[in-house]
Amino acid sequence: MVVVDGVPEPHTGWTFLTSHARVLASIADNHNARIRDIAARCRLTERAVQKIISDLERDGYLSHTRKGRVNQYRIDPSKILRHPAEAGLTVASLLSMLIRDEAERHGTAERSRADS
């Protein structure tokens, strides 16, 4: 990833996951993540991440408490996804799929390195 003046290089073209899903998955991986770290991981600007977090909090998918200088996020796993095509699918189901895939990708990469 190329970073110029603290802003990640933007992705061009379409993607399968929305920025909202990526930010939520990043927070699920680390409930104490800084906005800067979420932005870098998701290849978004910090301003975009702040807006997404605000969207998620406004609609009840996410909340936060301040612990000293750090925000601690809490995801509501029972919330239903917004699009009618995902009727009945919960945030927990989505994150479960994403986390399982992430673990499998990391396991495959680690096995490939070990085999070399």
Side-chain angles (χ1 to χ4, degrees), residues 16-27 42 52 56 94-95 98:
F16 283 100
L17 296 177
T18 67
S19 296
H20 284 67
R22 278 194 221 80
V23 167
L24 196 62
S26 182
I27 290 171
C42 296
I52 290 167
L56 293 170
L94 172 67
L95 292 174
L98 294 174

